[in-house]
Amino acid sequence: MKLVFAVIQRVFYAAILLLAVIVLNFFMMHLAPGDIADSIAQTMGGADEEIMKEIRADYGLDKPFLTQLGQYIFKVAQFDLGYSYFYTQPVTTLILAKIPATLLLVITSQILALIVGVLLGVQSAKNPNGISSFVVSMLALFGYAAPVFWTGILLLIAFSLKIPIFPVAGMYDVMVEGSFFVEALDVLKHLVLPVVTLSSIFLALYSRLCRASMMEVLGSDYIRTAKAKGLSRNEIIYKHALKNALSPVITLAGLQLSAVVSGAVLVEAVYSWPGLGTLAFNSILSRDTPTILGILFFSSLVVIVGNLLTDLVLRLIDPRMRGSE
Amino acid sequence: MMAPILKVENLSVELKTKEGTSPVIDNLSFELNAGETLSFVGESGCGKSMTALGIMGLLPEKISRVSSGRILFQGEDLASVTQKRLQEIRGNEISMIFQEPMTSLNPVYTIGEQIGEILRRHKGLNRKQSFLQALDLIEAVQIPDTKNKIHSYPFQLSGGQRQRVMIAMALACEPKILVADEPTTALDVTVQAQIFDLLKELRVKTNTAIILITHDMGVVYEMAQKMIVMYAGRKVEEGSVNQVIKSPAHPYTQGLISCVPHLTEKQPEVRERLLEIPGIVPGLTSFGLNKCLFESRCHKSVEKCLSSKPDSQSISTGHQANCWNLGK
Ligand SMILES: Nc1ncnc2c1ncn2[C@@H]1O[C@H](COP(=O)(O)OP(=O)(O)O)[C@@H](O)[C@H]1O
Ligand SMILES: [Mg+2]
């Protein structure tokens, strides 16, 4: 019951946050020079005052400001984000077509960074002078110092040009056609380098935090109790210590979500990955305001939903987050 | 007479700090018989906890180790057994409760899980059996509302209840020895009395020998048959509780006992500071010097105290003290 209530509460907050993003979007649209009528007129190759007026009336641009805001919110709530005159498609259709590619990249790289980061962190906490500790330190140095696009280009040169193991760009090979598995394998091959690039920053972050958190937990009184109970080393580390050490790492992963999404934009640009990032890049170049704002809306949605999930996972791990009855 | 269940022989433990390495336990020997309660007393920093951790094989890693001596548990030297063997013994035949009930339980597992786990580990019970037995144990340590409490997390319990859970866990496998390191120091006075009543009751049931560490003479008098007084990592006096409390021989013991005025008339609630002994326990760097470490605080010190470490002097059967000036 408590959980259901907590979830409802979080969803409510998330909705308010999303509303704020929509309002912000609306203001930015108004601040941008020119309006829809101008864009339409542009594609038509110019129009006179009469036609402009007609278009403005059509789109409700002559209505009072608040009415327009209300209409905008109402439309966005139905996932109607307007029309891109540059791509001549509704923005929602445009974005929905690109979102799976980005989600695939973002989720895979986060899962990879979390799993490898936690394993490395645990291993190096167990053995602070061992190889894994050295790896964590090197990763940290590299992950913090190297910009994503630089890492991306470096990997591209190394593993698709010099040693051509992986494809250079894109998500599919047009030449590859066959059963589901053949195509999935093809996507997987294209996915490797972008995922490695994007996860490198976060891997550095998570492995370091996990090591620190693990070391702290291993020195705590309840670990001494676990030893006094005669538990084995593995039970102590993976059952008693890790579950406690995980909370800060997951919290950080949640906080990093927006960084992951913006990191994805750069990685997509480097590898021509056909996702939101590439779309965002192109729409910025072509001043396609509705599309840019639509992407902003959807990436906010991704981050907000991600945070909601993070919160639930934390509750699952740490009973103290659930509060006492 | 039966062989003692635990026999510690010339145990020395060293501890590395920034200032250097010192013997935090210096040549300690004692014996513990089955079912008996032996108390360690002394001010903070005398090495009581290190003694307990040494026996358990739980000395802080890297900075501390047994440097010499033996810890014979039923003839087996715990100082030299494998980690695997030690894990079999810990929690099963020798268990421990700690001074810090608030932090000694894992915050992310229910108390039922934490008690049940030790039964599965050592007694080979399955989940269901261990759950049922955990239920019995929680009832035995007198935590009310057992059926609900077994699903609680530590943060939902009071300090006294957490220490009861620790006791339930420590006694789950009916160990031969229970090491209790100041089990009530962190608790309210009324809760303290309840915990000791509980320990007394369970001791009768399981015939567990107890090593009870405390700095409270009243508790010693209530609970123990034998006692050892420690000072700066050394044993300074040993004997039956009656011998030591009625006729303390070492000036340090005399000081400790004079701080609790009507001890023998049973007033365990009198808990005063050690006002009668000037000064404080020396720092770790002086541990192990070849002299009497109590000398600077002692009103009976003689020349010899400065130049050599006091030997054990017998006072009567089973009663001995380490002092160069025992004659009154
Ligand atoms: N983990 C540790 N690191 C550094 N010094 C310690 C540590 N544990 C104990 N000591 C030192 O060892 C001495 C004995 O400590 P302890 O056995 O805890 O005393 P007691 O339990 O009698 O109060 C003290 O001087 C204390 O400061
Ligand atoms: Mg202590």
Side-chain angles (χ1 to χ4, degrees):
Chain A
M1 254 348 269
K2 273 190 94 73
L3 185 69
V4 175
F5 180 72
V7 171
I8 291 172
Q9 195 187 17
R10 293 305 141 116
V11 170
F12 179 68
Y13 287 146
I16 291 182
L17 202 60
L18 211 54
L19 188 69
V21 171
I22 296 173
V23 173
L24 193 73
N25 263 358
F26 181 74
F27 277 106
M28 292 213 269
M29 203 147 68
H30 272 258
L31 283 178
D35 59 10
I36 300 173
D38 289 322
S39 332
I40 295 173
Q42 211 177 355
T43 47
M44 294 194 323
D48 60 24
E49 268 310 300
E50 198 63 13
I51 297 175
M52 291 290 270
K53 226 179 187 164
E54 223 168 84
I55 296 173
R56 290 207 166 94
D58 257 8
Y59 284 86
L61 296 176
D62 52 351
K63 300 243 171 59
F65 186 74
L66 277 180
T67 316
Q68 283 193 44
L69 176 62
Q71 280 173 343
Y72 181 71
I73 293 172
F74 185 70
K75 273 164 79 183
V76 173
Q78 293 168 313
F79 284 100
D80 177 0
L81 290 164
Y83 191 83
S84 162
Y85 292 94
F86 180 74
Y87 290 101
T88 59
Q89 269 185 54
V91 171
T92 309
T93 317
L94 202 58
I95 288 176
L96 284 182
K98 301 288 182 187
I99 257 191
T102 296
L103 281 186
L104 180 67
L105 176 63
V106 163
I107 292 175
T108 320
S109 63
Q110 275 298 286
I111 290 176
L112 184 77
L114 270 173
I115 291 178
V116 178
V118 165
L119 285 179
L120 269 177
V122 168
Q123 208 54 38
S124 58
K126 266 164 74 175
N127 196 354
N129 298 320
I131 301 177
S132 46
S133 233
F134 178 74
V135 171
V136 170
S137 304
M138 289 322 283
L139 264 178
L141 195 70
F142 190 76
Y144 286 136
V148 196
F149 61 85
W150 184 79
T151 314
I153 292 170
L154 202 73
L155 287 177
L156 200 64
I157 293 174
F159 295 107
S160 32
L161 298 180
K162 295 274 182 245
I163 317 167
I165 318 175
F166 297 112
V168 183
M171 185 165 166
Y172 320 92
D173 191 332
V174 280
M175 307 301 286
V176 174
E177 232 174 285
S179 71
F180 173 75
F181 284 108
V182 175
E183 288 182 3
L185 197 70
D186 178 46
V187 171
L188 203 65
K189 259 166 79 181
H190 284 80
L191 189 62
V192 173
L193 288 184
V195 161
V196 169
T197 308
L198 186 55
S199 56
S200 69
I201 344 164
F202 302 101
L203 183 61
L205 227 57
Y206 300 156
S207 61
R208 257 172 68 101
L209 184 66
C210 184
R211 175 171 64 177
S213 164
M214 216 35 204
M215 300 248 255
E216 189 188 320
V217 167
L218 284 176
S220 63
D221 287 346
Y222 55 83
I223 294 302
R224 190 181 57 187
T225 305
K227 287 180 189 160
K229 285 161 86 171
L231 302 182
S232 68
R233 198 169 143 81
N234 280 340
E235 276 175 298
I236 290 170
I237 290 188
Y238 293 103
K239 180 175 177 188
H240 282 264
L242 185 56
K243 199 172 174 194
N244 280 284
L246 227 42
S247 302
V249 180
I250 289 172
T251 308
L252 180 70
L255 291 174
Q256 289 298 319
L257 270 176
S258 48
V260 180
V261 172
S262 55
V265 174
L266 294 173
V267 173
E268 286 183 7
V270 171
Y271 293 97
S272 315
W273 187 258
L276 275 190
T278 309
L279 182 64
F281 189 69
N282 291 332
S283 11
I284 289 169
L285 288 184
S286 54
R287 295 168 149 271
D288 183 0
T289 317
T291 308
I292 296 171
L293 293 179
I295 290 169
L296 193 63
F297 171 76
F298 266 96
S299 37
S300 313
L301 193 65
V302 168
V303 171
I304 288 171
V305 170
N307 279 328
L308 208 63
L309 289 178
T310 311
D311 211 62
L312 288 178
V313 172
L314 279 178
R315 282 167 165 275
L316 227 59
I317 289 182
D318 192 339
R320 284 165 298 185
M321 302 277 295
R322 285 171 235 159
S324 67
E325 38 249 26
Chain B
M1 222 191 108
M2 258 178 52
I5 190 157
L6 183 73
K7 190 164 188 230
V8 171
E9 290 179 349
N10 306 100
L11 178 69
S12 291
V13 170
E14 59 179 35
L15 179 66
K16 236 186 267 170
T17 57
K18 273 179 240 120
E19 283 94 47
T21 304
S22 353
V24 66
I25 305 295
D26 191 356
N27 206 23
L28 176 70
S29 302
F30 67 89
E31 291 180 2
L32 177 72
N33 295 311
E36 178 179 71
T37 298
L38 165 66
S39 206
F40 278 82
V41 296
E43 289 161 278
S44 278
C46 282
K48 306 185 297 294
S49 294
M50 291 302 271
T51 308
L53 296 175
I55 294 167
M56 296 295 295
L58 290 176
L59 292 170
E61 272 169 54
K62 305 233 164 67
I63 57 168
S64 185
R65 65 182 189 98
V66 171
S67 51
S68 64
R70 301 199 294 174
I71 304 164
L72 297 168
F73 170 67
Q74 299 179 323
E76 192 175 359
D77 182 12
L78 299 183
S80 59
V81 295
T82 59
Q83 273 297 315
K84 194 159 181 296
R85 177 72 188 125
L86 204 54
Q87 284 165 6
E88 284 167 14
I89 294 172
R90 277 185 203 149
N92 187 22
E93 304 203 79
I94 307 180
S95 54
M96 179 159 180
I97 47 184
F98 299 92
Q99 191 174 340
E100 306 85 7
M102 300 314 277
T103 50
S104 290
L105 290 167
N106 194 325
V108 300
Y109 289 104
T110 63
I111 63 170
E113 169 60 23
Q114 295 188 56
I115 298 174
E117 162 183 67
I118 195 168
L119 292 161
R120 294 198 295 275
R121 167 92 176 105
H122 295 297
K123 296 291 175 224
L125 302 190
N126 61 27
R127 283 216 158 253
K128 181 141 188 258
Q129 292 164 329
S130 71
F131 179 83
L132 292 176
Q133 194 155 343
L135 215 55
D136 288 345
L137 282 160
I138 296 172
E139 209 162 275
V141 295
Q142 294 155 19
I143 295 178
D145 193 18
T146 314
K147 286 228 160 51
N148 287 320
K149 280 284 157 48
I150 194 167
H151 299 295
S152 316
Y153 290 91
F155 77 97
Q156 294 165 320
L157 305 182
S158 69
Q161 285 178 333
R162 292 189 208 187
Q163 199 61 299
R164 284 167 196 268
V165 172
M166 286 297 292
I167 293 173
M169 222 155 68
L171 296 180
C173 300
E174 308 205 333
K176 303 215 166 69
I177 302 173
L178 171 68
V179 181
D181 187 1
E182 308 204 31
T184 63
T185 304
L187 304 174
D188 287 345
V189 181
T190 46
V191 182
Q192 290 187 13
Q194 291 166 8
I195 295 280
F196 283 120
D197 285 345
L198 177 66
L199 277 178
K200 271 203 251 181
E201 197 179 299
L202 295 173
R203 175 175 66 184
V204 175
K205 253 189 236 168
T206 56
N207 196 36
T208 299
I210 301 181
I211 292 179
L212 177 62
I213 294 172
T214 175
H215 50 243
D216 186 330
M217 286 291 181
V219 167
V220 177
Y221 196 76
E222 280 259 324
M223 297 287 299
Q225 289 90 50
K226 286 198 312 193
M227 67 188 285
I228 288 174
V229 181
M230 298 231 355
Y231 189 78
R234 292 173 188 170
K235 177 170 79 182
V236 297
E237 186 159 356
E238 174 178 15
S240 75
V241 169
N242 262 324
Q243 286 169 333
V244 178
I245 288 188
K246 292 228 175 79
S247 46
H250 196 286
Y252 180 59
T253 319
Q254 289 168 353
L256 284 181
I257 286 170
S258 67
C259 298
V260 192
H262 306 290
L263 192 63
T264 43
E265 279 122 62
K266 261 192 138 178
Q267 283 202 347
E269 64 277 2
V270 181
R271 290 177 172 86
E272 286 178 37
R273 283 252 147 241
L274 305 175
L275 296 176
E276 308 256 331
I277 316 172
I280 52 160
V281 183
L284 262 180
T285 42
S286 350
F287 280 43
L289 296 180
N290 186 22
K291 57 177 263 193
C292 174
L293 297 172
F294 186 60
E295 176 274 331
S296 61
R297 301 170 73 186
C298 183
H299 61 282
K300 287 165 76 177
S301 64
V302 293
E303 204 132 302
K304 197 173 179 189
C305 302
L306 278 169
S307 58
S308 74
K309 176 175 159 180
D311 281 342
S312 162
Q313 318 278 326
S314 178
I315 295 151
S316 56
T317 325
H319 187 189
Q320 61 198 54
N322 297 48
C323 177
W324 290 131
N325 190 16
L326 281 177
K328 289 232 164 145

